[in-house]
Amino acid sequence: MRRLALRLCTLNKELLIPGRGLTQGFQNPEKQRVFHMHEACSPIHVNHVRDKLREIVGVSTNWRDHMKAMEERKLLQSFLAKSQEGLPPRRMKDSYIEVLLPLGSQPELREKYLTVQNTIRFGRILEDLDSLGVLICYMHTRVHAAKMSPLSIVTALVDKIDMCKTSLSPEQDIKFSGHVSWVGKTSMEVKMQMFQLHGNEFCPVLDATFVMVARDSENKGPAFVNPLIPESPEEEELFRQGELNKGRRVTFSATSLLKMAPSAEERTTIHEMFLNTLDPKTVSFRSRVLPPNAVWMENSKLKSLEVCHPQERNIFNRIFGGFLMRKAYELGWATACNFGGSRPFVVAVDDIMFQKPVEVGSLLFLSSQVCFTKDNYIQVRVHSEVASLESKEHMTTNVFHFTFMSEKEVPLVFPRTYGESMLYLDGKRHFNSMSVPVKLRKDFSEAP
Ligand SMILES: CCCCCCCCCCCCCC(=O)SCCNC(=O)CCNC(=O)[C@H](O)C(C)(C)COP(=O)(O)OP(=O)(O)OC[C@H]1O[C@@H](n2cnc3c(N)ncnc32)[C@H](O)[C@@H]1OP(=O)(O)O
């Protein structure tokens, strides 16, 4: 145990070696969102993020030892705080990390990230962001006296990922940075950014906001996290934004179409779409025909099945959230590609809620469909549910929302049933909540 405490302290030191900050490449200070972090660490290599997480949590690398490792974690329960006030406050820079994915300088890394069109697999980026988000939270909550972290930190929500560049080169270095930007009692909001080398500058390509939740050593109940003290007006603004985000999520969830009827405007939209599909040759509500350049929503569906092997486990012996996101994203991408008839780019991801952990050995059923389109944009929803081999009972674990942009204008998608109409409106709400179409930087766009 003492050995592990030392290891954790070494980890913290390793992460905080003063050196070149990520912001150095910027000419324009307005592009920076790294507040007073210039004195922070040199980047760690992307391959070390998972190693560090393993060390912090003390997991075994062999599946056959996983029960023993979990037994050892039970001993850490006594290190958990009884209240949040009993924990020392932390600053944003305490959790600030930079991670390097040196695709340019280490070509052997490229294979894992490469698409056939010579761009970067976004699913792999989702995995890296997920691991990085968890590591950031361990930096915020680190306990110097404890041998390993008594906390199990899980991803609760991918609140938003906005892309500011349509395609990324697999031949240029990438850097990630991030820090805790807001905390509740047991939850933490993490802001991350991704940059790619463009000439001599690291230019921003992606902004992400995740919410992580701290659980006890055995991942059975909630656990308190250290308070966060903003230190400057910019940090206060970030913290305030975190509070607002929490309020926005509550409102979004309270007005969900699963709980409340659509608004008058939304009802009009659906009725107009319904009228547009009535056959003018018959006087019947049942005889429906598609308008030109339109597709029935049910015909946009694609499905897949994954067997969740131990290799895909996370540090808590459940299925890694990043793996679930990668699989859902790739099915969503295929759905958009199939629908739009040309190669789509992801422009936004939002509101991926991890409702239930996925056990190793489960069957993961993914079902994807286009639920809204506009001009070149395709809004895709992927629903995931699991069943254990024994019970066969299906349970929803996640709903994923992806916004893609196609190279050319795409057909309209038409709902046929009431349920599909609600999917359409939900897709439209997600599409409208996206900030990207206005922000997408044309100057960075590249041919695919
Ligand atoms: C060798 C091994 C291999 C190693 C590989 C390394 C890979 C690297 C792996 C890296 C690891 C990668 C990581 C992974 O792979 S984690 C795997 C993916 N994630 C999961 O499996 C999580 C599944 N979900 C759950 O377990 C529960 O739903 C959770 C625990 C999330 C909430 O449960 P529950 O609802 O019962 O909790 P509560 O009511 O007590 O609330 C607790 C707090 O949570 C806040 N909250 C809740 N929901 C949301 C939400 N949607 N948005 C925002 N906030 C939310 C809530 O406000 C409250 O905050 P506060 O008011 O206290 O502040």
Side-chain angles (χ1 to χ4, degrees):
M1 297 283 251
R2 200 176 130 67
R3 204 163 28 95
L4 286 163
L6 288 172
R7 225 192 288 155
L8 185 53
C9 293
T10 325
L11 272 174
N12 295 334
K13 278 196 202 123
E14 267 172 44
L15 290 172
L16 291 167
I17 304 162
R20 260 174 62 98
L22 185 57
T23 54
Q24 284 196 348
F26 291 111
Q27 305 302 311
N28 174 2
E30 295 215 321
K31 282 188 198 163
Q32 302 175 13
R33 208 206 45 208
V34 185
F35 301 106
H36 310 300
M37 311 276 185
H38 308 81
E39 72 274 29
C41 48
S42 5
I44 54 172
H45 193 286
V46 73
N47 286 350
H48 296 156
V49 171
R50 286 172 156 232
D51 299 342
K52 286 181 189 302
L53 283 168
R54 278 196 200 101
E55 288 181 45
I56 291 168
V57 179
V59 282
S60 72
T61 38
N62 297 318
W63 174 242
R64 66 167 184 271
D65 296 335
H66 79 277
M67 291 305 281
K68 197 167 137 245
M70 287 317 269
E71 282 301 311
E72 278 177 22
R73 277 191 62 74
K74 271 191 195 169
L75 303 171
L76 298 170
Q77 281 300 97
S78 60
F79 287 101
L80 291 168
K82 304 275 177 295
S83 71
Q84 191 174 36
E85 292 70 39
L87 290 166
R90 294 280 148 81
R91 300 159 305 174
M92 290 193 191
K93 67 177 164 210
D94 292 331
S95 60
Y96 180 75
I97 307 182
E98 292 180 0
V99 171
L100 184 65
L101 169 56
L103 293 174
S105 41
Q106 293 179 10
E108 65 278 11
L109 285 175
R110 282 180 205 157
E111 194 91 344
K112 181 177 161 193
Y113 288 87
L114 198 63
T115 70
V116 74
Q117 295 90 3
N118 204 39
T119 59
I120 289 187
R121 288 173 68 179
F122 184 67
R124 290 289 186 206
I125 300 296
L126 290 174
E127 291 184 320
D128 289 342
L129 287 171
D130 199 23
S131 306
L132 174 62
V134 174
L135 184 59
I136 287 171
C137 291
Y138 276 117
M139 290 301 108
H140 176 81
T141 55
R142 64 189 182 265
V143 183
H144 295 283
K147 288 149 186 158
M148 339 181 245
S149 176
L151 299 177
S152 307
I153 294 174
V154 298
T155 314
L157 177 79
V158 176
D159 184 63
K160 205 148 238 336
I161 302 179
D162 285 335
M163 299 292 294
C164 30
K165 188 172 185 297
T166 49
S167 76
L168 305 176
S169 162
E171 282 146 28
Q172 297 296 334
D173 284 1
I174 281 182
K175 278 189 191 182
F176 299 93
S177 71
H179 60 88
V180 171
S181 51
W182 172 87
V183 298
K185 291 272 177 228
T186 67
S187 61
M188 291 161 275
E189 185 190 81
V190 177
K191 293 248 182 240
M192 289 173 279
Q193 277 191 300
M194 184 173 138
F195 306 79
Q196 185 157 48
L197 205 57
H198 197 80
N200 292 325
E201 261 189 76
F202 272 107
C203 300
V205 291
L206 172 156
D207 263 317
T209 308
F210 283 41
V211 178
M212 308 297 186
V213 171
R215 316 270 296 157
D216 63 23
S217 318
E218 295 180 76
N219 192 2
K220 288 194 173 152
F224 292 109
V225 298
N226 303 61
L228 178 67
I229 310 251
E231 287 193 306
S232 64
E234 294 97 328
E235 290 188 6
E236 270 159 24
E237 178 52 29
L238 270 187
F239 195 88
R240 202 183 63 83
Q241 197 59 52
E243 280 299 330
L244 291 177
N245 287 344
K246 185 172 179 175
R248 172 180 52 78
R249 280 176 216 124
V250 171
T251 316
F252 204 82
S253 147
T255 54
S256 155
L257 292 164
L258 289 167
K259 296 182 190 153
M260 264 179 84
S263 68
E265 192 189 338
E266 287 174 328
R267 288 197 297 270
T268 309
T269 304
I270 291 303
H271 199 72
E272 275 171 6
M273 288 183 92
F274 172 73
L275 295 179
N276 270 337
T277 62
L278 289 184
D279 186 349
K281 294 202 256 357
T282 62
V283 188
S284 157
F285 288 127
R286 290 181 57 188
S287 169
R288 313 269 303 267
V289 282
L290 271 177
N293 197 27
V295 175
W296 289 121
M297 193 182 277
E298 65 189 353
N299 293 339
S300 72
K301 275 189 186 168
L302 286 183
K303 292 188 179 209
S304 75
L305 168 75
E306 298 293 331
V307 182
C308 295
H309 294 293
Q311 191 186 14
E312 311 303 345
R313 74 189 184 280
N314 65 15
I315 39 183
F316 315 113
N317 296 316
R318 300 279 183 47
I319 295 299
F320 172 40
F323 168 78
L324 302 173
M325 286 196 269
R326 171 161 65 85
K327 287 293 164 188
Y329 167 76
E330 288 183 352
L331 183 67
W333 182 87
T335 308
C337 197
N338 199 31
F339 184 88
S342 69
R343 202 186 132 219
F345 303 95
V346 64
V347 288
V349 177
D350 82 324
D351 201 24
I352 300 180
M353 214 195 282
F354 288 87
Q355 292 166 13
K356 297 243 161 26
V358 176
E359 301 295 338
V360 172
S362 315
L363 295 180
L364 177 73
F365 295 87
L366 295 174
S367 163
S368 168
Q369 70 193 109
V370 174
C371 50
F372 177 79
T373 63
K374 188 172 192 233
D375 307 328
N376 289 26
Y377 291 100
I378 308 173
Q379 186 69 33
V380 175
R381 174 192 179 99
V382 184
H383 181 262
S384 86
E385 48 185 38
V386 289
S388 70
L389 285 173
E390 300 83 46
S391 78
K392 298 202 175 74
E393 193 189 330
H394 283 224
M395 282 221 290
T396 298
T397 56
N398 302 78
V399 180
F400 303 85
H401 303 275
F402 300 109
T403 312
F404 292 96
M405 192 172 81
S406 189
E407 285 164 328
K408 50 183 196 215
E409 200 157 313
V410 298
L412 294 171
V413 66
F414 270 75
R416 210 201 282 259
T417 64
Y418 188 78
E420 285 179 352
S421 302
M422 295 306 103
L423 286 178
Y424 181 90
L425 292 178
D426 191 52
K428 189 166 187 258
R429 285 183 185 183
H430 280 284
F431 179 80
N432 288 339
S433 74
M434 172 184 62
S435 48
V436 167
V438 274
K439 279 205 312 204
L440 204 64
R441 296 176 53 138
K442 291 276 182 293
D443 50 329
F444 286 154
S445 295
E446 283 173 0

